[in-house]
Amino acid sequence: MGWKLCLCLLIQFIVVGVACVVLSGVWMGHYRGGFAWDGSAHQFNLHPLCMVLGLVFLYGDAVLVYRVFPNEQRRSVKLLHAGIHLLALVISIVGMVAVFDFHRAQKIPDMYSLHSWCGMTTFILFCLQWVMGLGFFLFPGASSWLRAWYLPLHVFWGVALLALAVGSSLLGITEKLLFSIMSSYPLFDQEGVLANGLGLLLLAFGLLVGFVLSREEFRRPPHPEEEALSVHFKTLTEGGSPCTP
């Protein structure tokens, strides 16, 4: 794969991701009446916008920073990775608080739908992933063998959480449409078509991230620290006793 195709894929990733956020804003801002923080349905509208922006778009950006900046200093890329994740976490917290506060104001039960169960599971796992990553990889203290043990789990959950976030978003889109326009939804209502398009873009975004992560051409060149972790992990899986530096 040439560098032009790689650049084309990254541009597509950015365009699709921004389109997801824009369509979320148009849906909630134009078709659902806008945004507010007053306990009304306008406050609920912050929830889907914040979750798409935080747990999908920014999270996907954070996942790919090691692929987008393969030759930058590892410490700088680590800080960028953690910083984007922190921003995604803050925005997601705003989205979560918005929906729970709206439910409380409108006396709507919490956590009864499949969307809410999947979404809360994703959010909790995301928080744990960020804290664990911070402790193991950003702050000194964790030994090499411990980081080597956790690294494959961190990578796996990084991809899995994006899939969970996209899946939860698709469930949320369907739930919102059925609550809001159930009678006109089968008639290809404009709002329904826009929301369905948003769902397809979210799916495309997740697939693009997965594709970039799977391609060797985007992989960061081996770093001494990463090679050391690989040696420790290999020793662990073969039943040896890794040395702690």
Side-chain angles (χ1 to χ4, degrees):
M1 183 186 295
W3 68 270
K4 290 183 179 179
L5 185 54
C6 293
L7 179 61
C8 181
L9 281 172
L10 291 175
I11 292 174
Q12 288 177 16
F13 161 78
I14 295 172
V15 170
V16 172
V18 171
C20 289
V21 176
V22 170
L23 279 187
S24 300
V26 171
W27 183 17
M28 295 296 111
H30 177 67
Y31 289 97
R32 293 288 101 205
F35 306 94
W37 197 279
D38 56 5
S40 69
H42 294 166
Q43 178 173 329
F44 171 86
N45 293 343
L46 289 167
H47 173 68
L49 178 61
C50 288
M51 304 318 283
V52 168
L53 176 58
L55 277 186
V56 178
F57 179 59
L58 289 176
Y59 183 81
D61 290 343
V63 167
L64 288 187
V65 293
Y66 287 103
R67 302 298 197 267
V68 176
F69 303 107
N71 300 312
E72 299 298 323
Q73 287 189 346
R74 184 166 181 80
R75 179 72 176 179
S76 300
V77 179
K78 273 186 179 182
L79 291 172
L80 180 61
H81 180 73
I84 297 176
H85 270 131
L86 178 60
L87 180 59
L89 177 62
V90 170
I91 293 174
S92 300
I93 290 174
V94 172
M96 296 294 284
V97 172
V99 70
F100 279 109
D101 191 57
F102 162 72
H103 283 179
R104 185 162 44 250
Q106 300 296 323
K107 297 181 172 53
I108 298 173
D110 294 317
M111 301 300 300
Y112 64 88
S113 68
L114 179 60
H115 164 64
S116 61
W117 288 17
C118 291
M120 182 59 73
T121 299
T122 303
F123 179 72
I124 291 173
L125 289 174
F126 171 67
C127 293
L128 291 175
Q129 170 85 340
W130 190 81
V131 171
M132 296 288 283
L134 203 66
F136 276 99
F137 301 118
L138 194 60
F139 293 137
S143 60
S144 295
W145 74 266
L146 196 58
R147 281 181 288 159
W149 170 81
Y150 180 66
L151 180 60
L153 294 175
H154 187 72
V155 173
F156 166 77
W157 282 110
V159 178
L161 281 169
L162 181 62
L164 288 171
V166 171
S168 298
S169 298
L170 297 180
L171 288 172
I173 289 171
T174 302
E175 182 178 292
K176 179 60 177 175
L177 288 173
L178 293 179
F179 284 165
S180 302
I181 58 169
M182 181 181 292
S183 59
S184 60
Y185 189 29
L187 304 177
F188 292 91
D189 182 272
Q190 286 185 354
E191 180 180 350
V193 172
L194 181 140
N196 287 348
L198 170 60
L200 290 178
L201 283 175
L202 289 169
L203 185 59
F205 182 82
L207 291 174
L208 277 172
V209 173
F211 180 76
V212 171
L213 290 175
S214 69
R215 300 298 300 182
E216 196 68 30
E217 294 87 344
F218 289 95
R219 192 173 298 278
R220 184 180 176 86
H223 184 275
E225 178 185 357
E226 294 168 337
E227 291 179 343
L229 289 178
S230 297
V231 171
H232 281 289
F233 181 69
K234 184 178 180 181
T235 305
L236 284 171
T237 56
E238 291 178 351
S241 299
C243 300
T244 303

